[in-house]
Amino acid sequence: MLRREFLFATGAVGLSACTALPQSRKEPQYYPIKSSLDRVIKNVVGLRPYRTAGYRLEAETFDNKKIVHNYGHGGGGISLSWGTSSIATQLALESSPQSVAVVGSGVMGITCALMLARQGVKVTVYAAEFPPHTTSNIAAALWLPTSYYDRKEVSEDFLAQDKQISRAALEGFYGYVNQPDYGVFWHDYHFLSHRLPKRKRELPGGNDLYPQYKVSTENNLFGYTYQEKMKSLMIDPSFYLQRIKLDAQISGATFQRKKFGSLQEVLSLKENVIINCTGLGAKDLFNDDKLLPVQGQLTLLLPQPEINYSYVAVDPNEFYYMFPRKGAIILGGTTIRNTYSTKPDEALSRKMVSAHANLASRL
Ligand SMILES: Cc1cc2nc3c(=O)[nH]c(=O)nc-3n(C[C@H](O)[C@H](O)[C@H](O)COP(=O)(O)OP(=O)(O)OC[C@H]3O[C@@H](n4cnc5c(N)ncnc54)[C@H](O)[C@@H]3O)c2cc1C
């Protein structure tokens, strides 16, 4: 997620009745994370497939082939996956094809394949890499559809459709909450800042998607001046992606390793309908100059099962987040545009570890 996108705030919110929240009579207990260099498991760097104009979700025809694009979801692709993939599969099925090819096996490709296979369509996924070796595996991944467009580059129509897509996308995850092996769970998310926001905007998708949403200006986590606290879903990609890939296979989808070097190679697939879920790979394959990498580095610490809260903390020149997973505590918050390097920066990791240790000491 990009720093800019967190700078929103809203008014009161209604409770969503869509799914059961954990019942707790007591206020949650905040255990400090143990952020120290001797607890670092590894550092990873991912490139968010960011489009200034927002994700590309449309069909294009080349002679007798139809390509449906579903890429460019920036820092919100895990969150959006059920929403944009639903539209992409509808576009693919308009001509009632016998079979469909999906190119790419990150969260978008697998979700499309699962949706098609469940409808009884013959589907083959072709991809250079599969989980756990995709960008989708690196995602943090908080359910908060943000950071995938520049506001001045998108129309009101895009924003209106995006709101509906976000709502449908969250609905898609409800069936997986607390299901064994899927890694989808509710937790307490906090957005923290030392400054009160200037503008008040609705939360992505609508305020009612975030149960127990509360704004406070005192008694906040780590002593911040301003806090937005809410229940939000965490989707642990290390569990989730493997599991939905298995679901797709059980429903009949097949997966083949294949790297495409050009659009012509894509068009030479035997299927006449192809869904393009290549993420950043679409830049070269489809000559998309609006698509660019936004680099993010994560530091993984040894897991702490007692942690069931997360935060994004905005300091004057910094941006830190912490998300808990079963296998690790995730520290992150860096966003660097137009950088293709995926080599971790050790100095940055040390800085992250120290900054989060400092926050934890304020509990
Ligand atoms: C540090 C970081 C933190 C993030 N945090 C969040 C978060 O908290 N919440 C959230 O919702 N999102 C988050 N994201 C964003 C999310 O990870 C992406 O938006 C999402 O993973 C994009 O999914 P995708 O399936 O489009 O692309 P990818 O996961 O990149 O998959 C692309 C697929 O296409 C294949 N491919 C590409 N080119 C070719 C080719 N030429 N030939 C064959 N195959 C090809 C690849 O091998 C791969 O299988 C984060 C991302 C990063 C990097």
Side-chain angles (χ1 to χ4, degrees), residues 61-97:
T61 306
F62 297 86
D63 297 328
N64 62 338
K65 302 270 177 179
K66 176 176 176 180
I67 303 237
V68 178
H69 297 291
N70 182 24
Y71 70 85
H73 302 82
I78 303 289
S79 307
L80 290 165
S81 52
W82 287 101
T84 61
S85 297
S86 167
I87 293 182
T89 53
Q90 282 168 36
L91 290 171
L93 294 181
E94 269 173 1
S95 52
S96 308

Side-chain angles (χ1 to χ4, degrees), residues 89 94 96-97 109 111 122 132 145 177-178 191 208 218 257 270 275 295 326 331:
T89 53
E94 269 173 1
S96 308
T111 309
K122 186 173 182 307
V177 176
N178 290 346
F191 170 76
D208 58 316
E218 53 187 26
R257 188 175 296 280
K270 62 180 185 300
I275 307 185
Q295 188 208 59
K326 221 178 219 170
L331 307 182

Side-chain angles (χ1 to χ4, degrees), residues 112-172:
C112 285
L114 176 55
M115 286 178 149
L116 292 167
R118 278 185 178 157
Q119 293 178 62
V121 178
K122 186 173 182 307
V123 53
T124 307
V125 179
Y126 303 91
E129 297 291 349
F130 298 98
H133 304 296
T134 69
T135 299
S136 299
N137 286 89
I138 294 175
L142 173 71
W143 194 90
L144 193 64
T146 63
S147 315
Y148 45 89
Y149 57 81
D150 284 2
R151 209 168 177 88
K152 59 182 180 315
E153 298 257 345
V154 294
S155 64
E156 287 304 316
D157 283 352
F158 173 89
L159 293 173
Q161 190 197 23
D162 182 58
K163 181 171 178 179
Q164 296 314 315
I165 284 174
S166 297
R167 297 181 72 81
L170 181 59
E171 190 86 32

Side-chain angles (χ1 to χ4, degrees), residues 324-345:
R325 283 189 196 165
K326 221 178 219 170
I329 293 287
I330 309 287
L331 307 182
T334 62
T335 55
I336 306 174
R337 281 192 183 200
N338 273 319
T339 301
Y340 282 90
S341 169
T342 53
K343 189 172 179 295
D345 176 342

